Amino acid sequence: MTTESMSIFSPALSSRFDALVLKYPIKRSALIPMLLYAQDEIGYLSDAVIDEIAERLSITPLDVRNVASYYSMLRFKPVGKYNVQVCTNISCMLRGAYDLFEHLQDNLGIGHKGVTADGLFSLEEVECIGVCCWAPAIQVNYDFHDELTNDKVDEILATYKAKAAGESTNA
Amino acid sequence: MPRLVSHPDEVKIISKRFGMGATNIDRYIELGGYESTRKALEQGPEWIINEMKASGLRGRGGAGFPTGLKWSFVPKQSAKPKYVLVNGDESEPGTCKDHLIFLHDPHAVIEGTIIAGLAIGSKMGFIYLRGEYRYLIQIMEKAVADAYAKGFLGKNIFGSETEFEVVVQTGAGAYEVGEESALMESLEGKRGVPRIKPPFPAVVGLYGGPTVINNAETIAAVPHILAMGGAAYAAVGSERNGGTRLFGISGHVERPGIYELPMGYNLKKMIYEVAGGIRGGRKLKAVVPGGSSTPVLLPEEIETLGMDFDQVGKAGSMLGSGAVVVIDDQTCIVEFALRTISFYAHESCGWCIPCREGTDWLNKSLTRFHAGFGTMKDIDNIQYLAENMMGRTFCPLGDAAAMPTIGFVKKFRKEFEAHLDGKPCPFAKHLEVALV
């Protein structure tokens, strides 16, 4: 068991992981949730994240990497503070998702998998996110925004910009 | 926030608590919640399974297997613990019905899980949601914690001698994990690749124990079935197709949304009356009736078509996940086919060669086609490739990619031919560079 003082995670996440591994008949079942929650806190799956999770589950770092590389939400590189994911799958495509994706590329000045220079936004074209009846839709980090138009999406980006600006003046 | 819709033809069974604040456990109990679980606990497994068989409920994930029968396959005696696994990985393009269930009625999912556990003699259930549904996972986790606090879950549920634990699990982005054996792999902390069958999960499943795996909509229907009685539920639907379904209508309709309609409801009526017809007064070109993996139907094929597993099957397609994707006459079918196959190429887990290579080649061929560089031979090649993927893989993802592709080429061959020999797509605004 990794002690709190040695952990690279916050005390809250560290104790959450301690509890999580006990919920299942086998410890390893906690692997995928742990990777995702660690990524939420650290930003991506760094070598240190992988090593600590491997140790907590008594498996090798290579084994962890092998599993992590399978899942599309898990990443090995940092993204922007707000990761904008645009669904272009069939239901969204029929309701203008490609136009929306193009508009977002113009607005942010970046392409697929790009990150803005200030690190605030990243952009990604993704597969179906399960909001098909309210298309077109995007997901910014974990927040869904549906029934979008170009104007609506501009407003949404402005809200995130304002939120980030507010956070930096408060800090 | 997903908008709720409604139509007079709807028969609200699963969706009857949508928008009524049922995420709150006290409100849920006020609305009659957890009565079915109490009843199931009193009546015992045989009664539950008989009611489920009488209900005619068939798997809402897409395969349409009778739920009561599936539960009855689990051996009564087992050296290893038995498990209930709820599939909320919902990833088939067009499908977003479980989204609303988790959002509005999480306790119905918990009830269904406990009842399935009682039916097969299991002490533990897992509710697996796709990772993108983080806010819904939080709703489910809160609901599970509330159910524990009330004593509805835990060592002595409802003050009985029966134990039942529930764990909510997050995925992390993988369509393939929606396949039952891949789902078990993922829950065991592994890559989501399928297992060979047999043995079937009812005999050797999660952690090697007998396991029942049901779609979230199937599970959410269970408490309602026990409340109204299996026979009454069956009577709502059509022959051999009990009850209702959450049909998700998306694409070019005036009023897209999730509508709960009786099984066997006419598809044409669903599009033109329930969903308000084709957007902007345009004409209907094609319908994908049950999620992106189901073969496309032409307007003349939906006139008298009832939306149940058997009738849609007879029409040469599948009811699948009940996700109706409506396509108008301004849409390029080649682009639509390309977007469909590029999804499956992205999601193929790579375990079986016919699927891994087949989806990749179909994606390349259709990309080239859509860019106007296809040749007559390509049309036959696409069909040949797709036909040779069918039935040659561990799981149905290969079929899911091949079937719609064959359908598009067969029914819209003329439109494919219109893209030959350097001719630009007559509909496209998005010409893509040919990759091969």
Side-chain angles (χ1 to χ4, degrees):
Chain A
M1 179 76 60
T2 314
T3 62
E4 214 170 79
S5 58
M6 283 161 60
S7 176
I8 63 160
F9 305 123
S10 66
L13 188 61
S14 191
S15 51
R16 186 178 181 189
F17 284 170
D18 290 342
L20 194 64
V21 294
L22 301 174
K23 273 167 75 172
Y24 307 91
I26 59 164
K27 270 203 299 195
R28 196 185 164 126
S29 283
L31 176 56
I32 290 145
M34 281 170 86
L35 286 166
L36 198 57
Y37 299 144
Q39 176 174 285
D40 291 343
E41 184 168 289
I42 308 288
Y44 68 107
L45 302 179
S46 64
D47 292 351
V49 167
I50 287 165
D51 290 348
E52 183 173 331
I53 288 176
E55 200 195 316
R56 280 172 176 270
L57 297 177
S58 317
I59 55 179
T60 63
L62 182 66
D63 204 349
V64 173
R65 273 175 209 283
N66 178 39
V67 173
S69 63
Y70 175 87
Y71 295 91
S72 63
M73 288 173 71
L74 301 174
R75 52 183 181 251
F76 299 91
K77 277 191 297 195
V79 289
K81 182 179 169 72
Y82 300 112
N83 188 31
V84 182
Q85 300 146 82
V86 187
C87 173
T88 60
N89 213 307
I90 50 174
S91 298
C92 284
M93 178 182 93
L94 293 177
R95 293 184 84 94
Y98 278 120
D99 289 337
L100 195 72
F101 185 44
E102 238 169 63
H103 178 76
L104 273 159
Q105 293 182 59
D106 291 344
N107 184 314
L108 295 170
I110 48 175
H112 174 56
K113 298 255 180 196
V115 185
T116 56
D118 59 4
L120 199 55
F121 291 102
S122 50
L123 185 64
E124 219 182 320
E125 178 184 1
V126 294
E127 295 298 353
C128 184
I129 51 176
V131 225
C132 322
C133 291
W134 312 283
I138 64 169
Q139 204 175 9
V140 181
N141 296 345
Y142 288 107
D143 298 332
F144 286 103
H145 301 279
D146 57 26
E147 303 195 315
L148 295 174
T149 57
N150 287 353
D151 289 344
K152 264 199 205 170
V153 99
D154 289 344
E155 274 171 41
I156 290 161
L157 291 185
T159 315
Y160 283 106
K161 270 181 204 160
K163 203 172 149 193
E167 279 171 20
S168 63
T169 46
N170 289 338
Chain B
M1 182 71 81
R3 186 178 35 82
L4 287 175
V5 286
S6 112
H7 187 271
D9 280 6
E10 277 189 286
V11 179
K12 298 201 180 216
I13 297 175
I14 300 180
S15 63
K16 75 174 181 196
R17 299 193 197 98
F18 286 9
M20 295 181 77
T23 49
N24 179 299
I25 192 163
D26 293 318
R27 175 78 179 130
Y28 182 76
I29 294 166
E30 211 178 280
L31 293 166
Y34 285 105
E35 281 308 314
S36 294
T37 310
R38 283 178 209 273
K39 200 168 163 190
L41 203 53
E42 285 165 21
Q43 300 282 339
E46 214 169 301
W47 176 80
I48 301 170
I49 289 179
N50 283 338
E51 285 298 315
M52 292 306 294
K53 282 183 175 168
S55 75
L57 177 71
R58 292 167 69 173
R60 300 304 194 227
F65 195 81
T67 308
L69 194 60
K70 193 182 217 180
W71 292 4
S72 72
F73 288 158
V74 176
K76 285 202 171 63
Q77 302 299 326
S78 165
K80 289 196 168 179
K82 303 179 213 176
Y83 298 99
V84 178
L85 181 44
V86 181
N87 187 348
D89 191 55
E90 185 161 74
S91 304
E92 171 90 352
T95 315
C96 49
K97 62 195 175 59
D98 302 342
H99 193 134
L100 286 190
I101 297 172
F102 297 129
L103 179 61
H104 292 286
D105 209 3
H107 288 286
V109 181
I110 298 173
E111 273 205 84
T113 312
I114 302 172
I115 295 165
L118 294 172
I120 65 160
S122 156
K123 290 182 176 147
M124 193 168 196
F126 294 91
I127 302 170
Y128 188 111
L129 276 74
R130 61 180 302 184
E132 290 86 350
Y133 284 177
R134 172 62 62 87
Y135 85 113
L136 302 173
I137 292 168
Q138 287 164 344
I139 290 170
M140 275 312 309
E141 280 176 338
K142 165 84 170 49
V144 166
D146 291 345
Y148 270 103
K150 292 264 187 210
F152 299 167
L153 289 171
K155 293 265 178 254
N156 305 95
I157 63 168
F158 298 91
S160 70
E161 293 298 301
T162 307
E163 178 187 357
F164 199 76
E165 313 286 339
V166 166
V167 174
V168 178
Q169 180 82 346
T170 177
Y175 168 78
E176 169 59 14
V177 167
E179 191 277 329
E180 57 181 16
S181 66
L183 184 63
M184 296 188 293
E185 289 286 297
S186 177
L187 193 43
E188 291 178 10
K190 295 181 259 178
R191 291 171 76 90
V193 295
R195 296 176 182 173
I196 196 152
K197 287 181 249 184
F200 289 94
V203 183
V204 182
L206 192 61
Y207 309 118
T211 305
V212 145
I213 304 176
N214 285 127
N215 180 262
E217 186 187 349
T218 311
I219 284 290
V222 172
H224 298 290
I225 289 168
L226 296 194
M228 68 195 285
Y233 181 82
V236 176
S238 54
E239 202 188 332
R240 302 206 306 122
N241 286 266
T244 56
R245 257 203 112 157
L246 295 178
F247 287 103
I249 312 175
S250 66
H252 294 143
V253 285
E254 288 285 359
R255 288 192 301 273
I258 303 277
Y259 298 89
E260 183 168 9
L261 295 162
M263 291 291 270
Y265 194 88
N266 176 251
L267 180 54
K268 188 176 181 185
K269 215 171 151 195
M270 201 183 287
I271 294 169
Y272 285 96
E273 290 178 31
V274 178
I278 312 301
R279 194 164 70 153
R282 287 178 179 170
K283 280 202 180 109
L284 178 68
K285 181 171 189 171
V287 192
V288 176
S292 62
S293 64
T294 60
V296 69
L297 295 171
L298 299 170
E300 57 268 31
E301 291 173 300
I302 69 165
E303 291 285 335
T304 57
L305 182 62
M307 288 290 275
D308 66 32
F309 289 106
D310 302 321
Q311 294 184 58
V312 183
K314 228 182 257 170
S317 188
M318 289 185 311
L319 187 63
S321 61
V324 177
V325 185
V326 179
I327 304 166
D328 77 11
D329 60 352
Q330 302 297 303
T331 312
C332 170
I333 287 293
V334 178
E335 185 180 24
F336 193 89
L338 168 61
R339 189 62 190 86
T340 303
I341 200 65
S342 72
F343 168 74
Y344 290 104
H346 181 264
E347 298 298 332
S348 173
C349 77
W351 191 244
C352 315
I353 296 164
C355 171
R356 181 183 70 212
E357 298 299 314
T359 52
D360 189 43
W361 276 105
L362 287 176
N363 188 31
K364 283 176 176 164
S365 301
L366 283 167
T367 302
R368 181 167 68 182
F369 229 101
H370 187 239
F373 298 98
T375 65
M376 194 58 104
K377 208 178 157 202
D378 282 334
I379 304 181
D380 297 326
N381 267 345
I382 288 169
Q383 200 154 355
Y384 174 79
L385 257 170
E387 279 167 4
N388 280 287
M389 288 159 66
M390 298 280 288
R392 291 190 166 91
T393 49
F394 276 44
C395 93
L397 199 151
D399 292 2
M403 286 182 306
T405 310
I406 293 169
F408 290 127
V409 173
K410 213 162 78 186
K411 290 184 180 166
F412 290 94
R413 197 180 171 99
K414 282 218 166 68
E415 199 161 317
F416 278 81
E417 285 172 4
H419 285 73
L420 294 176
D421 306 322
K423 274 179 256 160
C425 168
F427 302 94
K429 285 175 284 178
H430 302 280
L431 281 183
E432 283 155 64
V433 179
L435 295 177
V436 284

